[in-house]
Amino acid sequence: MPKIVDHEARRRHIADALLRIASREGLDAVSLREVAAEAGVSMGMVQHYFATKDQMLMFAMIQLNARIGERVATAMDAPSPRAFLRAAILELLPLDDERRSEARIGLAFLARSVVADEPADLLRQALPYVIGFYAEQIRAAQELGQVRADLDAGIEAVILYTMAQGLVNPALIGHLSPEEVVATVDYHLDRLFLTSG
Amino acid sequence: MPKIVDHEARRRHIADALLRIASREGLDAVSLREVAAEAGVSMGMVQHYFATKDQMLMFAMIQLNARIGERVATAMDAPSPRAFLRAAILELLPLDDERRSEARIGLAFLARSVVADEPADLLRQALPYVIGFYAEQIRAAQELGQVRADLDAGIEAVILYTMAQGLVNPALIGHLSPEEVVATVDYHLDRLFLTSG
């Protein structure tokens, strides 16, 4: 009987190895040899599933974003657009070990995307989705009278997204404590929303 | 007569080579061999001046920050704290080829700093200076009645800094045009300042 191989599981297993290395030592340390050793498979097996380091990285980023997306989805029954938006933003920030690891990899991916075409393409596809989701929550709040109608939901969404991304590095290197990160987000949401809950 | 060697100029020459490679292909591509080839010197010469890649990177980042600092200083005679702050922020953003190149390297350095101790130390020293400078301008504006007295200058400075850093990637990958980047900064400054000039 032929052996049944779950190719998707193998790809995920290899991508997880890449994520662990990137989180620990940065993308610099990610090589065919390192990934194979970390995953406990042969270099040939890694090459069988991924033609290039960027392809492996992109597969890993899609996995990682799906994980974050699942966590955000659990906040969908939040009592207000503000609470939902806050939960979604905090899921991206390095406030515990899991999110610290994700944020380190995310930052490496952002840096890679400004010198490599395929990661840039992936981000150009993902950004309108994330920023659009923020804008949607702000518009919903405007309709409920919870955000001033004269604010530009699209630009406010860009500011929220960029502020969150910009908080990642100062939080990871310890310039800001997790409490200061959360206080900064809440300070800004206080300005944006007419309601506190 | 012994040959006079300008060691500082040689270090700068080598660091410039690193900056060119990092801007073009990312930090991944920076190796002893690549830097030596780009600088047109021997690998031994590179090693003579820099013991590690991170030391070379840090020297290069200090050079690059000094260059940005000099440009910001030329805006010192701006007509208001708002104008000075705006000029300082826009110097960090990828609005032309020079700043695009700097921003790519800056992003690579941010990513490196979350997995390597020495770059993290350098950033922990630099951040209070940059964010403190922003806070100073906001406090000066508060004293002039140009920013509401009840705003927290320290947190506003963090938000300005993080927003600016977060704008770098979307601008570099073309999700935001230079005009949209400037409009986002101005939109936020409009909210912060009671004066438009």
Side-chain angles (χ1 to χ4, degrees):
Chain A
M1 225 179 88
K3 210 166 132 189
I4 296 167
V5 177
D6 183 344
H7 291 290
E8 189 58 19
R10 278 211 181 147
R11 284 171 74 90
R12 277 205 303 271
H13 175 72
I14 293 168
D16 281 344
L18 176 144
L19 290 176
R20 286 195 300 276
I21 300 168
S23 165
R24 220 164 45 211
E25 304 162 63
L27 275 185
D28 273 31
V30 172
S31 66
L32 181 58
R33 183 182 301 276
E34 288 290 325
V35 171
E38 176 79 22
V41 302
S42 70
M43 293 201 277
M45 166 95 71
V46 176
Q47 284 175 309
H48 175 74
Y49 286 101
F50 299 104
T52 65
K53 182 169 152 179
D54 275 336
Q55 278 184 17
M56 196 168 14
L57 177 62
M58 286 196 295
F59 182 84
M61 282 306 297
I62 290 167
Q63 297 270 111
L64 192 146
N65 281 331
R67 206 160 77 194
I68 296 171
E70 277 168 28
R71 295 204 309 262
V72 170
T74 65
M76 260 184 75
D77 55 356
S80 67
R82 174 176 174 156
F84 190 16
L85 196 49
R86 180 179 189 270
I89 291 169
L90 297 187
E91 282 304 341
L92 290 178
L93 295 175
L95 300 172
D96 58 24
D97 283 347
E98 185 178 10
R99 284 176 283 177
R100 285 179 71 82
S101 168
E102 290 169 354
R104 273 195 297 269
I105 299 159
L107 197 50
F109 190 74
L110 289 190
R112 181 74 192 141
S113 75
V114 303
V115 289
D117 289 338
E118 288 172 288
D121 286 341
L122 183 65
L123 261 179
R124 270 190 297 265
Q125 285 168 38
L127 277 184
Y129 179 81
V130 177
I131 295 173
F133 166 74
Y134 291 178
E136 229 170 75
Q137 300 311 310
I138 296 169
R139 277 189 207 102
Q142 285 178 315
E143 279 165 30
L144 292 165
Q146 296 173 356
V147 163
R148 276 196 356 243
D150 64 324
L151 295 186
D152 185 315
I155 300 186
E156 295 292 356
V158 168
I159 292 174
L160 272 173
Y161 169 80
T162 55
M163 178 185 73
Q165 288 296 344
L167 282 167
V168 166
N169 173 276
L172 283 173
I173 63 168
H175 175 71
L176 297 174
S177 68
E179 293 72 29
E180 287 171 322
V181 168
V182 175
T184 304
V185 171
D186 284 333
Y187 177 98
H188 186 72
L189 292 178
D190 277 343
R191 144 161 68 212
L192 206 52
F193 284 81
L194 301 165
T195 46
S196 61
Chain B
M1 225 177 88
K3 212 167 135 188
I4 295 167
V5 178
D6 184 341
H7 291 289
E8 189 57 21
R10 278 212 181 144
R11 284 171 73 90
R12 276 204 303 272
H13 176 72
I14 294 168
D16 282 345
L18 174 144
L19 290 176
R20 286 195 300 276
I21 300 167
S23 165
R24 220 165 45 212
E25 303 161 63
L27 276 186
D28 272 31
V30 172
S31 66
L32 181 58
R33 184 182 301 275
E34 287 291 324
V35 171
E38 176 81 22
V41 302
S42 68
M43 292 203 276
M45 166 95 71
V46 176
Q47 285 176 307
H48 175 73
Y49 285 103
F50 298 104
T52 66
K53 183 170 153 181
D54 275 336
Q55 277 185 17
M56 195 166 19
L57 176 63
M58 286 195 296
F59 182 84
M61 282 306 297
I62 290 167
Q63 297 269 110
L64 192 147
N65 281 332
R67 206 159 79 194
I68 297 172
E70 277 167 26
R71 296 204 309 265
V72 170
T74 66
M76 259 184 74
D77 55 355
S80 66
R82 173 175 174 155
F84 190 15
L85 197 49
R86 180 179 190 270
I89 290 168
L90 296 187
E91 283 303 342
L92 291 178
L93 295 176
L95 300 171
D96 57 25
D97 283 347
E98 185 179 10
R99 283 175 284 178
R100 286 180 70 82
S101 168
E102 291 170 352
R104 274 196 296 269
I105 299 160
L107 197 50
F109 189 74
L110 289 191
R112 181 75 192 140
S113 75
V114 303
V115 288
D117 289 338
E118 288 171 286
D121 286 342
L122 184 65
L123 261 180
R124 271 191 295 265
Q125 285 169 39
L127 277 185
Y129 179 81
V130 177
I131 296 174
F133 165 75
Y134 291 178
E136 230 170 75
Q137 300 310 309
I138 296 169
R139 278 190 207 103
Q142 285 178 314
E143 278 167 30
L144 293 164
Q146 296 172 357
V147 164
R148 274 193 2 240
D150 64 324
L151 295 187
D152 185 315
I155 299 187
E156 294 292 358
V158 168
I159 292 173
L160 272 172
Y161 169 80
T162 55
M163 178 185 73
Q165 288 296 343
L167 282 166
V168 166
N169 174 276
L172 283 173
I173 63 170
H175 174 72
L176 296 174
S177 69
E179 294 71 28
E180 287 170 320
V181 169
V182 175
T184 304
V185 171
D186 283 334
Y187 177 99
H188 186 72
L189 291 178
D190 277 344
R191 144 162 67 212
L192 206 51
F193 284 82
L194 301 165
T195 46
S196 62

